[in-house]
Every structure is written in C-alpha cells, then in structure tokens.
Amino acid sequence: MRRIFIAGNWKMNTNFQEAKELIDAIYQQTNSHDIDVAVCPPMPYLSSVSNYIKENEHQKSLQIKVGAQNMHWEEKGAYTGEVSGTMLQDVGCTYVVLGHSERRALFSETNNGINKKIHKALALGLLPILCIGETLEEREKGKEKEIIEKQLLEGLTDLLPSQIETCTLAYEPVWAIGTGKTASPEIAQDMHAFIRKTLTEKYGKNVSDSVRIQYGGSVKPQNIQELIAQNDIDGALIGGASLKADSFSKIIEICSLSGK
Ligand code: PGA
C-alpha cells in the first residue's frame, strides 16, 4: 500500500508572517492523520517554519513535514549561493524537491546534475521528490513518453532498488504548471502507469509497487478527487493552491477521505 503524499511547493512566495498564518489555518481546517503532508517554503524560512511546526504540532491530528525546493550535491565548499543537503537536514527538512521543471528550464539543470543531487540527498537520509515532465511542444510531437523515460532513468542512474523505493516521483507536465490546464485524469493516469511500467521493467515489481508518484500541474480542490481516484496517482505536488490554506486543506481532506 502506498500512503497518499500531498506536498505544497511554495516556490518564491510567502514571508515568515504569511507562512505562520498558512500553517495555522491548515491546522485549523484539517482533521486528517492518515496521509503524508509536506510544505516546501523558500530557503530563508526553512528553519523558522520547521521550528514553528514543531512548537505547534502537539495535539494536531495532521503531521506536516518540511521540504526544500533544491540543494547542491556537494557537502560544502566554494559554491557561492548554494545550499547543501547537510544544511537542509540541520534546519529540519525531511524532503527535498529535485529537478523541478522551473529549475530545469530557468536554471539549466540537467538530468546528470539532478542525479548527483539525488545520490547526495539519499546518502544523507533526505527524501527526494524527483520531478519529471514534458513540455507542450514535446507532447505535440508525440515524444512525451520518450522524454519522461529519459528524465526518469537518467535521474535514477546508479541508485540501488532499495534507495529508489524511498524516492517520490512527481509527474508534472510543464504545460499544466501554473496554467490552470490540469492534465485530464486519463492523461495523468496513462503517464503514471507508463512510469510504473518503466520502473517494473528496470528495477522490478517491488520497487514499482513501493514508489509513490505524485501528479502536479494546476491541482485544486475541484480536480483532486478524480485525479487521486486513479490507480497510479499517489498524491500531488501543488504550487498555486498550496499558498491558500482553504484550497490546500480541502485537497488534504478530499485525499484523506478518498478511501485509498
Ligand atoms: P501549480 O504548480 O500547482 O501552480 O500548477 C505545480 C508545481 O510547479 O509544482
């Protein structure tokens, strides 16, 4: 059984005051305890958000973990502007989002660099969320599965099956991110099933049965029910809707009641 996993990617949004209000409101509006939930604030707030959660989580049914939106693959050194996985752990992170399409497109991240980051994260005990997704152009050319397979296999290169089992994958079609155009449940399920089949062929059924695959791209309370009902969708990575406590909490509650 794969436990549902909902993560909020705040991107470059919020300040500490807004972050606290968001966390407070999420606690107030949720009763769930049977799904995994994480928030991924901007780097400067990881420490304070993680402490704020620790101070306030007592007697709350929902457990919220903290994730970072990126990290470097080296432990320390002359890498101006970068942050290491050890630092992320030190400030209370459980998860780290790696290979988000915005980092691939705007900051030239490659599958090879992302793979190095995953190796490092796992060596440290951080849990990676590996994002993969095709652009509209790639889909229109019928190349979406080829692209996804490449991002997946190159991202996971040289990892042990036992390590892959602890990774979360996030299928995020680039054309659905921040556009309001969610992939239909059928399109999303088709790709998730393809990802799982690729994992089975390469790493065996134990791995493919264990790995959680989130869907991401304009997820909101209005579409999460149909998405989460799909066999191979195990949760969601949420951008815009994770910045509004009402929407994020509703998504959590709908998933929790989905019976999965
Ligand atoms: P969105 O972003 O929910 O705003 O489309 C998703 C993401 O980029 O992870």
Side-chain angles (χ1 to χ4, degrees):
M1 269 304 280
R2 297 180 297 267
R3 195 172 150 99
I4 293 177
F5 179 20
I6 300 297
N9 174 11
W10 294 358
K11 307 192 181 182
M12 200 170 73
N13 295 296
T14 68
N15 55 34
F16 184 43
Q17 186 54 36
E18 289 164 347
K20 284 194 288 189
E21 287 168 14
L22 198 46
I23 301 280
D24 287 343
I26 295 167
Y27 279 137
Q28 272 164 21
Q29 295 176 31
T30 50
N31 294 310
S32 315
H33 49 80
D34 50 359
I35 66 172
D36 290 341
V37 173
V39 294
C40 305
M43 295 280 187
Y45 306 121
L46 289 173
S47 176
S48 32
V49 166
S50 141
N51 286 336
Y52 190 72
I53 289 172
K54 271 187 217 124
E55 284 157 18
N56 289 280
E57 68 186 352
H58 309 288
Q59 295 171 343
K60 304 285 192 313
S61 51
L62 185 69
Q63 295 288 301
I64 305 176
K65 302 283 185 211
V66 174
Q69 299 171 20
N70 184 29
M71 61 172 257
H72 196 271
W73 57 78
E74 291 293 347
E75 196 130 346
K76 60 179 175 178
Y79 301 99
T80 302
E82 292 291 329
V83 168
S84 75
T86 323
M87 294 168 189
L88 297 183
Q89 271 191 317
D90 201 27
V91 296
C93 289
T94 302
Y95 296 99
V96 57
V97 175
L98 295 172
H100 190 280
S101 64
E102 285 151 17
R103 296 220 51 88
R104 292 175 190 262
L106 304 173
F107 303 99
S108 312
E109 291 212 10
T110 61
N111 289 331
N112 178 252
I114 294 160
N115 176 249
K116 287 198 223 170
K117 294 179 182 195
I118 297 180
H119 274 273
K120 190 66 189 182
L122 288 168
L124 293 169
L126 279 167
L127 300 174
I129 301 175
L130 166 62
C131 302
I132 53 180
E134 81 286 357
T135 62
L136 185 58
E137 199 191 346
E138 287 159 348
R139 181 165 278 270
E140 279 172 354
K141 285 188 186 149
K143 287 182 152 189
E144 66 274 17
K145 293 208 165 122
E146 194 186 309
I147 295 290
I148 292 300
E149 186 174 7
K150 188 171 161 66
Q151 290 179 347
L152 180 68
L153 298 182
E154 292 187 5
L156 299 178
T157 297
D158 289 339
L159 291 173
L160 300 169
S162 59
Q163 291 180 305
I164 296 173
E165 283 176 15
T166 66
C167 294
T168 298
L169 301 173
Y171 169 58
E172 298 203 301
V174 178
W175 46 270
I177 295 180
T179 58
K181 278 192 218 155
T182 327
S184 66
E186 295 74 27
I187 288 181
Q189 166 56 28
D190 179 57
M191 189 59 90
H192 282 231
F194 171 75
I195 294 168
R196 217 176 288 288
K197 180 172 135 275
T198 307
L199 289 173
T200 310
E201 284 165 9
K202 178 91 185 170
Y203 303 105
K205 200 161 160 24
N206 282 352
V207 170
S208 71
D209 279 348
S210 312
V211 171
R212 292 189 287 193
I213 313 176
Q214 296 174 320
Y215 167 78
S218 299
V219 172
K220 37 191 185 252
Q222 294 85 336
N223 56 30
I224 187 65
Q225 189 137 23
E226 272 192 300
L227 287 164
I228 203 68
Q230 306 302 312
N231 275 344
D232 291 294
I233 299 185
D234 307 313
L237 181 57
I238 302 162
S242 74
L243 293 167
K244 295 184 212 103
D246 291 9
S247 316
F248 195 59
S249 304
K250 261 193 212 129
I251 291 170
I252 292 171
E253 292 299 290
I254 291 170
C255 286
S256 175
L257 295 171
S258 70
K260 258 192 158 177

